[in-house]
């Protein structure tokens, strides 16, 4: 396994699935954060061009392409130096505290319905989550630090969750000097362009279009890992420039020492013998039944996560964000052309499980940040990497 850090030098262009072109629209909309498939394609392309001891001599022969697709990519996750961040969990609602000029959080937990109560969830055994206070929700940070996420996964929702408001972090110019505990969504760099006639070199009349990219503050980067590749085969020890995303915007790419990926011992102890667990998607999920993983029986809501044989779970509730489209353009030989649109579950979505058999604490380290996607290629691409925490029922 090779750990890699990426530092975008230019605003990163990663557009969504909406049409963009002379006939489809003249405004490109950027994602809030790169999808795993963007990073997987970038790293596999770079490895295919620069790693020489892999199958085949030519960069992208069919044999070599299959080998590249067999590499497992993790992430992408934000980092500030060696400080790691995960997407904000969706099982919390934030509100503004006018007294402290910060955000306060209330945990969302499944609620047993009483006599005469009901809801229209897609399965009668599913429980709704409830908000215990009548407050106006506020927009919060997009990412939590690993330390804050650990506390939340231990079901420490009774602690005082106070998050600085976005305006309190807007004046930070160098995050590396003082890494924050929370990261708000990256700012957009919007640029207006004009179409140039290739024959005359003149600007086209009324042919303006705009692009937007993610502007990474100084010190904020992307961290990932590549599994299935020997560290000795990586061709460079220093930082190299490589095009990432649209318009061939450049980013620095370098190997790094392993970051603190694995969970704390306290979390393993908290999950030891637990009768309820939470699964938090650290990367967007691709599942057979839309929001519901394919390893969960849609009739009984019971199942065993991939690689966790012996652990039997039953889904009791979920906090799932609105689906997002995933598309792209394939340049693989024999599959050239637009990829079909797929619906993905947003990162940060939370699934609440009742433990029917097995001990969750025995699986936590092996299952940490491992993919729970249904298809093998989706797991290799980095979709549905999961964090596991306690649900105190």
């Amino acid at each position: 396994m090779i750990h890699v850090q990426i530092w975008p030098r230019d605003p990163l262009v990663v557009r969504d699935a909406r049409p963009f072109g002379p006939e489809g629209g003249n405004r490109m909309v950027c994602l809030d954060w790169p999808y795993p498939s963007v990073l997987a394609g970038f790293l596999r392309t770079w490895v295919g061009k620069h790693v020489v001891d892999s199958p085949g001599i030519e960069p992208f022969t069919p044999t070599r392409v299959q080998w590249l697709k067999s590499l497992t990519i993790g992430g992408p996750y934000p980092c500030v130096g060696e400080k790691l961040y995960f997407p904000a969990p969706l099982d919390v609602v934030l509100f503004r505290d006018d007294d402290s000029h910060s955000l306060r959080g209330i945990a969302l937990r499944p609620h047993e319905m009483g006599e005469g109560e009901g809801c229209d969830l897609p399965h009668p055994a599913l429980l709704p989550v409830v908000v215990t206070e009548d407050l106006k929700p506020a927009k919060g940070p997009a990412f939590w630090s690993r330390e804050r996420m650990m506390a939340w996964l231990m079901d420490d929702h009774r602690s005082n969750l106070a998050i600085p408001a976005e305006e309190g972090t807007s004046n930070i110019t160098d995050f590396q000097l003082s890494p924050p505990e929370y990261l708000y969504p990256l700012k957009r760099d919007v640029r207006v362009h004009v179409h140039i006639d290739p024959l005359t070199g003149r600007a086209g009349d009324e042919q303006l279009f705009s692009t937007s990219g993610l502007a990474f503050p100084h010190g904020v980067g992307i961290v990932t890992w590549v599994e299935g590749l020997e560290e000795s085969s990586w061709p460079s020890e220093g930082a190299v420039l490589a095009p990432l995303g649209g318009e061939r915007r450049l980013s620095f790419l370098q190997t790094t020492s392993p970051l603190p990926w694995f969970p704390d011992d306290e979390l393993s102890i908290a999950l030891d013998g637990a009768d309820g667990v939470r699964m938090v998607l650290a990367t967007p999920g691709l599942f057979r039944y839309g929001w519901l993983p394919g390893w969960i029986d849609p009739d009984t809501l019971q199942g065993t996560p991939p690689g966790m044989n012996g652990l039997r779970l039953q889904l009791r509730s979920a906090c799932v964000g609105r689906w997002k489209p995933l598309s792209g353009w394939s340049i693989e030989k024999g599959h050239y052309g637009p990829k079909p649109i797929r619906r993905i579950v947003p990162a940060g979505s939370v699934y609440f499980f009742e433990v029917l058999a097995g001990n969750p604490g025995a699986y936590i380290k092996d299952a940490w940040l491992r993919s729970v996607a249904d298809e093998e290629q989706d797991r290799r691409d980095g979709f549905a990497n999961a964090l596991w925490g306690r649900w105190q029922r």
Side-chain angles (χ1 to χ4, degrees), residues 310-313 354-360 363:
L311 186 66
R312 188 72 176 173
L313 305 176
E354 177 185 350
V355 179
L356 301 179
N359 181 8
Y363 298 90

Side-chain angles (χ1 to χ4, degrees), residues 17-243:
R18 275 173 275 197
F20 176 62
E23 299 178 357
N26 60 358
R27 180 175 299 172
M28 191 214 75
V29 182
C30 188
L31 297 172
D32 296 328
W33 186 253
Y35 285 154
S37 52
V38 174
L39 191 67
F42 163 70
L43 288 173
R44 288 174 180 145
T45 300
W46 194 87
V47 169
K49 290 181 177 179
H50 297 88
V51 175
V52 297
D53 61 347
S54 55
I57 300 176
E58 297 295 327
F60 301 108
T61 61
T63 301
R64 192 174 173 89
V65 167
Q66 291 304 313
W67 174 80
L68 290 170
K69 293 175 68 175
S70 71
L71 300 177
T72 298
I73 312 296
Y77 305 107
C79 67
V80 177
E82 295 186 354
K83 196 174 185 68
L84 184 63
Y85 296 83
F86 296 117
L90 297 184
D91 62 339
V92 59
V93 59
L94 301 175
F95 65 93
R96 183 175 293 273
D97 187 347
D98 294 330
D99 295 334
S100 61
H101 302 287
S102 63
L103 301 179
R104 300 287 180 180
I106 300 177
L108 298 176
R109 294 294 179 263
H111 171 70
E112 292 282 354
M113 290 180 288
E115 184 178 355
E117 295 179 338
C119 60
D120 59 352
L121 292 175
H123 194 282
L126 289 174
L127 301 176
V129 295
V130 297
V131 181
T132 56
E133 299 183 42
D134 186 13
L135 297 166
K136 182 179 180 181
K139 291 185 178 181
F143 302 97
W144 291 17
S145 69
R146 174 189 175 276
E147 293 73 20
R148 289 292 181 264
M149 183 64 77
M150 286 296 156
W152 189 256
L153 291 174
M154 285 189 285
D155 211 14
D156 191 20
H157 60 272
R158 295 178 179 83
S159 63
N160 189 18
L161 181 63
I163 300 176
E166 185 174 12
E167 54 266 25
T169 62
S170 59
N171 58 348
I172 299 178
T173 57
D174 192 339
F175 284 83
Q176 212 159 4
L177 295 176
S178 180
E181 295 299 325
Y182 304 94
L183 291 178
Y184 277 85
L186 301 179
K187 304 296 183 182
R188 306 293 179 89
D189 176 82
V190 180
R191 302 182 183 183
V192 178
H193 312 263
V194 62
H195 170 73
I196 302 297
D197 191 313
L199 297 178
T200 63
R202 298 178 58 184
D205 187 29
E206 298 182 358
Q207 293 192 24
L208 298 176
F209 64 97
S210 66
T211 61
S212 63
L214 298 176
F216 281 70
H218 181 71
V220 178
I222 301 171
V223 66
T224 181
W225 70 80
V226 182
E227 197 170 348
L229 186 65
E230 294 292 337
E231 190 170 357
S232 58
S233 64
W234 197 264
S236 175
E237 296 182 356
V240 295
L241 277 173

Side-chain angles (χ1 to χ4, degrees), residues 148-390:
R148 289 292 181 264
M149 183 64 77
M150 286 296 156
W152 189 256
L153 291 174
M154 285 189 285
D155 211 14
D156 191 20
H157 60 272
R158 295 178 179 83
S159 63
N160 189 18
L161 181 63
I163 300 176
E166 185 174 12
E167 54 266 25
T169 62
S170 59
N171 58 348
I172 299 178
T173 57
D174 192 339
F175 284 83
Q176 212 159 4
L177 295 176
S178 180
E181 295 299 325
Y182 304 94
L183 291 178
Y184 277 85
L186 301 179
K187 304 296 183 182
R188 306 293 179 89
D189 176 82
V190 180
R191 302 182 183 183
V192 178
H193 312 263
V194 62
H195 170 73
I196 302 297
D197 191 313
L199 297 178
T200 63
R202 298 178 58 184
D205 187 29
E206 298 182 358
Q207 293 192 24
L208 298 176
F209 64 97
S210 66
T211 61
S212 63
L214 298 176
F216 281 70
H218 181 71
V220 178
I222 301 171
V223 66
T224 181
W225 70 80
V226 182
E227 197 170 348
L229 186 65
E230 294 292 337
E231 190 170 357
S232 58
S233 64
W234 197 264
S236 175
E237 296 182 356
V240 295
L241 277 173
L244 170 60
E247 298 190 350
R248 296 186 63 82
R249 301 283 178 89
L250 296 177
S251 296
F252 289 99
L253 172 73
Q254 66 179 11
T255 58
T256 182
S257 57
L259 270 66
W261 295 105
F262 293 102
D264 295 336
D265 292 336
E266 291 81 0
L267 182 58
S268 300
I269 295 173
L271 284 173
D272 188 35
D275 61 352
V277 295
R278 285 177 292 157
M279 183 182 76
V280 183
L281 294 184
T283 56
L286 280 171
F287 300 126
R288 186 173 304 137
Y289 303 123
W291 70 276
L292 184 67
W295 46 269
I296 298 178
D297 188 295
D299 296 325
T300 64
L301 297 184
Q302 298 181 11
T304 298
M308 302 174 72
N309 296 331
L311 186 66
R312 188 72 176 173
L313 305 176
Q314 180 169 9
L315 182 66
R316 299 295 288 154
S317 188
C319 297
V320 179
R322 181 176 295 178
W323 71 273
K324 295 183 179 180
L326 173 69
S327 184
W329 191 274
S330 175
I331 59 174
E332 184 178 353
K333 187 176 181 180
H335 302 279
Y336 188 84
K339 297 179 180 179
I341 290 182
R342 306 173 70 186
R343 295 190 177 195
I344 62 174
V345 181
S349 296
V350 182
Y351 295 78
F352 296 85
F353 292 99
E354 177 185 350
V355 179
L356 301 179
N359 181 8
Y363 298 90
I364 178 64
K365 289 191 175 180
D366 292 335
W368 190 255
L369 286 177
R370 291 298 178 181
S371 175
V372 293
D374 298 326
E375 302 297 332
E376 179 64 27
Q377 191 57 52
D378 293 335
R379 292 197 286 268
R380 292 171 179 169
D381 291 346
F383 286 99
N385 289 353
L387 306 170
W388 295 87
R390 185 177 65 169

